[in-house]
Amino acid sequence: MGHMFDAVCQSCQHRFTANEGGGFHFELLRCGTCGTSKGVPYRTIWNSYLAYLKGLKTRMPEPNGADWRQYPGEPISKEEYRRVLETEAGACACGGTFSVDAPLRCPACRSEKIERGETKILFD
Ligand SMILES: [Zn+2]
Ligand SMILES: [Zn+2]
């Protein structure tokens, strides 16, 4: 489950709201250059998502209804799944690329030194 929280940049003291983690309906990626986040809905990559789950052999269907047992194809690795997500997310307006493990950055100065404040909203 994803959440939003107050964040304060330790480099320039800029305050902003950040979000983190995907939800039941999407994966959250971040631009490696500017830190902008972007959600990729599972529905747009559904077969790859099922193929990835098939590789994990999860015991239960996911809360969003995904069940790899219904997927007839070959499983894919986490690396392949990440490539699918990153391709689907495309390029950021700043010219950077979105990635699943890019760090949170300050939108003002792009510093990675972020202090986390209170969690405001949980979303799914
Ligand atoms: Zn960017
Ligand atoms: Zn900053």
Side-chain angles (χ1 to χ4, degrees):
M1 180 128 82
H3 57 272
M4 289 176 83
F5 54 94
D6 286 323
V8 183
C9 173
Q10 299 298 286
S11 300
C12 74
Q13 308 307 313
H14 180 68
R15 289 173 178 273
F16 59 102
T17 303
N19 50 49
E20 189 170 65
F24 291 151
H25 304 295
F26 64 95
E27 293 268 8
L28 190 77
L29 280 72
R30 233 186 277 282
C31 172
T33 307
C34 72
T36 298
S37 56
K38 178 167 185 169
V40 174
Y42 290 124
R43 285 286 161 195
T44 64
I45 51 148
W46 195 248
N47 283 340
S48 300
Y49 179 46
L50 292 181
Y52 169 57
L53 293 175
K54 191 168 189 171
L56 295 179
K57 298 217 183 304
T58 49
R59 280 166 182 265
M60 304 277 290
E62 297 297 298
N64 56 24
D67 187 353
W68 58 265
R69 291 165 187 83
Q70 295 165 0
Y71 181 70
E74 293 295 312
I76 61 172
S77 68
K78 187 171 187 178
E79 287 67 37
E80 287 170 280
Y81 178 60
R82 285 169 58 146
R83 273 202 294 279
V84 170
L85 285 172
E86 289 167 11
T87 303
E88 181 63 32
C92 178
C94 80
T97 49
F98 290 99
S99 157
V100 262
D101 54 9
L104 177 64
R105 284 176 198 275
C106 168
C109 75
R110 298 185 180 180
S111 168
E112 289 178 37
K113 291 184 191 152
I114 307 297
E115 185 180 294
R116 288 148 180 281
E118 206 178 316
T119 297
K120 296 209 288 200
I121 305 175
L122 296 173
F123 56 85
D124 61 26

